[in-house]
Amino acid sequence: MIPRYSRPDMVKIWSPETKFRIWFEIEAHACDAMADLGVIPRENAQAVWKAKDVEFDVARIDEIEAVTKHDVIAFLTHLAEHVGSDEARFVHQGMTSSDVLDTCFNVQLVRAADILIADVDALLAALKKRAMEHKDTLRVGRSHGIHAEPTTMGLTFARFYAEMDRNKTRLITAREEISTGAISGAIGTFANVDPRVEEHVCEKLGLRPEPISTQVIPRDRHAAFFAALGVVASSIENIATEIRHMQRTEVLEGAEFFSMGQKGSSAMPHKKNPILTENLTGLARTIRMAVVPAMENVALWHERDISHSSVERMIGPDATITLDFALARLTGVIDKMLIFPDNMLDNMNKFPGLVMSQRVLLALTQAGVSREDAYAMVQRNALKVWEHRTDFREELLADEEVCKALSKDEINEKFDMGYHTKHVDTIFKRVFG
């Protein structure tokens, strides 16, 4: 992923240096287990650890791979250059390349998941703070982009909080599912490597032994992992889209923070554009691009092929690095977001009283009017407000048929905003406990 959308901690997980360090640990721990079982001499296992503090030369490994056309063999050759060819002769005993590649990949995904879960925690804190701050800040709710009924800005933040809280659970589940390793040898039968070696290596790396592998760890695990990332990305887009709508000039109920010296347009100096949330919408699309290839990786030929390999070399770093960046960016947007309560009320009153139409409809039915007649009575007055920007309450009070069913006080009572916010505390208790 390009540096523009990257953060260093996540990038480090996917660096060649980190990958080769994990490869080394897998091989060294496997040698320890084999020595414990008497399969290889203890002194050879101990000799491997001479490379414990070595900075593996990525350029040298690439140079060897240019000849061998095999990355794991290139690494093992380079490792022997540090350890000594005789001392290293038992390294990779009974193992196959996928034992190293797949176990390493899952270690990297687990570490990436830990960062992403922490990112979501930070976003949840920001959403909760803004929800509490604006719990009772009135704004109009919209369906199909059209004014519906009153809600609060706090409820908007609260529903995003609940959605991201579900995403945290999804990431925790994805982390758990991907936390397996395999040191089972060619075709996964343990013919040349004892299952206890796998158990030892996995314990040292914080993984669980894969219950049954072929020559690779089953890719349904990875499909579920990247699917979870795709859902999180979609939630980011959901929040970003709402903020972009709020920042429209005609709406202006909320906006991204506009810093000193920031410029919105090269041509129009007055512009304040929602560039961060637009960017997040694009990044969400990029993250979701990983989902379908991950699903397609599940079906491999027989006990293995490498059609999944090139895919994962790209989607592993790209999806996790981009999601890490996107979550951090969204947290900053929420934390600094500008809220305009007065504009919210102005928007609600563009068609005065119209958002109370359902209350009047229900009151008429409760007064004995059929639903069909009540709907017609309310709608004809509502359409006058749409067409002439008159006051909905005044139109109702001037409608003789409505006034036969409802008194003036009963009509006026239906325009109490507090009616729509009376259960906000109940919803907040459900969301935040």
Side-chain angles (χ1 to χ4, degrees):
M1 180 49 61
I2 62 175
R4 185 182 185 92
Y5 304 126
S6 305
R7 300 205 305 161
D9 287 348
M10 187 66 87
V11 169
K12 186 177 180 181
I13 289 174
W14 299 104
S15 70
E17 292 81 4
T18 298
K19 179 183 71 175
F20 292 135
R21 176 55 47 187
I22 298 170
W23 286 12
F24 166 74
E25 291 175 3
I26 292 168
E27 297 285 5
H29 288 309
C31 286
D32 282 345
M34 292 181 202
D36 291 342
L37 295 170
V39 175
I40 68 172
R42 172 67 61 188
E43 55 269 25
N44 287 80
Q46 292 173 339
V48 175
W49 287 103
K50 289 193 298 184
K52 178 174 177 286
D53 298 317
V54 166
E55 291 290 336
F56 294 109
D57 188 337
V58 176
R60 173 59 180 151
I61 295 171
D62 289 344
E63 179 185 357
I64 299 169
E65 186 182 353
V67 177
T68 64
K69 305 297 190 294
H70 196 292
D71 54 354
V72 175
I73 292 174
F75 170 76
L76 294 173
T77 302
H78 181 56
L79 178 61
E81 291 175 343
H82 289 286
V83 175
S85 58
D86 185 62
E87 290 87 345
R89 73 183 189 274
F90 295 113
V91 173
H92 207 67
Q93 179 92 359
M95 294 167 58
T96 189
S97 297
S98 292
D99 291 336
V100 178
L101 295 169
D102 282 13
T103 302
C104 173
F105 189 43
N106 282 10
V107 168
Q108 290 173 300
L109 291 177
V110 166
R111 293 179 183 178
D114 287 337
I115 291 177
L116 294 174
I117 291 166
D119 291 342
V120 172
D121 279 334
L123 177 55
L124 287 170
L127 288 167
K128 182 177 181 178
K129 175 186 173 185
R130 302 316 298 267
M132 295 300 179
E133 181 182 352
H134 292 285
K135 183 173 75 169
D136 300 312
T137 302
L138 282 168
R139 69 183 295 234
V140 67
R142 297 170 173 88
S143 57
H144 308 279
I146 308 301
H147 285 196
E149 291 191 345
T151 183
T152 76
M153 190 67 216
L155 287 175
T156 300
F157 283 122
R159 67 182 169 89
F160 290 145
Y161 177 96
E163 184 172 346
M164 278 299 168
D165 193 43
R166 293 191 294 274
N167 282 326
K168 179 181 176 180
T169 300
R170 292 181 181 111
L171 288 174
I172 291 170
T173 300
R175 183 195 188 280
E176 176 68 15
E177 184 159 9
I178 208 67
S179 300
T180 66
I183 309 292
S184 53
I187 311 303
T189 60
F190 295 103
N192 296 299
V193 59
D194 193 292
R196 288 172 289 182
V197 174
E198 180 182 78
E199 292 170 4
H200 177 82
V201 173
C202 286
E203 180 183 0
K204 292 296 183 180
L205 295 175
L207 304 175
R208 304 182 314 280
E210 182 63 45
I212 178 170
S213 58
T214 54
Q215 197 158 311
V216 294
I217 291 174
R219 255 46 195 183
D220 61 290
R221 294 185 181 276
H222 303 77
F225 185 91
F226 287 100
L229 302 193
V231 175
V232 178
S234 295
S235 293
I236 290 172
E237 183 178 14
N238 185 28
I239 298 172
T241 299
E242 178 65 19
I243 295 171
R244 290 168 62 192
H245 165 71
M246 282 193 269
Q247 192 164 334
R248 291 169 57 197
T249 307
E250 298 84 357
V251 180
L252 203 57
E253 295 179 356
E256 296 174 12
F257 179 76
F258 199 81
S259 61
M260 184 68 68
Q262 184 175 340
K263 304 293 190 291
S265 167
S266 63
M268 298 167 282
H270 72 277
K271 295 279 281 180
K272 287 186 177 183
N273 300 329
I275 57 171
L276 299 179
T277 44
E278 288 178 341
N279 170 256
L280 287 170
T281 301
L283 293 179
R285 296 169 185 164
T286 303
I287 296 161
R288 286 195 299 267
M289 285 170 56
V291 177
V292 171
M295 297 287 181
E296 293 174 340
N297 279 350
V298 174
L300 301 178
W301 284 19
H302 305 299
E303 278 62 51
R304 82 160 298 195
D305 63 53
I306 64 165
S307 60
H308 65 289
S309 177
S310 56
V311 174
E312 290 170 352
R313 289 174 191 265
M314 290 187 281
I315 68 172
D318 285 1
T320 55
I321 289 171
T322 307
L323 185 56
D324 169 53
F325 178 89
L327 285 166
R329 169 156 285 184
L330 180 57
T331 299
V333 169
I334 296 298
D335 192 51
K336 295 181 178 180
M337 185 177 169
L338 305 176
I339 306 296
F340 306 114
D342 290 343
N343 289 351
M344 293 179 188
L345 289 177
D346 286 344
N347 286 336
M348 185 138 38
N349 291 321
K350 280 184 177 178
F351 298 91
L354 204 57
V355 293
M356 299 302 188
S357 71
Q358 183 178 192
R359 283 210 71 195
V360 180
L361 170 66
L362 296 178
L364 287 169
T365 59
Q366 290 166 352
V369 181
S370 72
R371 183 174 178 86
E372 291 76 12
D373 289 344
Y375 197 102
M377 292 159 64
V378 173
Q379 188 180 46
R380 69 174 177 243
N381 287 287
L383 291 177
K384 294 176 184 177
V385 180
W386 274 112
E387 294 166 9
H388 305 295
R389 294 291 182 95
T390 53
D391 186 292
F392 184 52
R393 181 180 353 201
E394 295 303 321
E395 294 292 349
L396 293 170
L397 290 170
D399 188 309
E400 293 183 3
E401 193 174 6
V402 172
C403 291
K404 285 181 181 178
L406 299 174
S407 69
K408 180 178 179 180
D409 288 343
E410 286 174 326
I411 293 172
N412 286 330
E413 187 270 331
K414 300 302 177 286
F415 290 82
D416 174 22
M417 285 289 182
Y419 175 86
H420 289 278
T421 61
K422 61 181 180 291
H423 293 304
V424 169
D425 286 337
T426 299
I427 298 171
F428 265 57
K429 186 175 181 180
R430 289 180 174 183
V431 173
F432 300 109

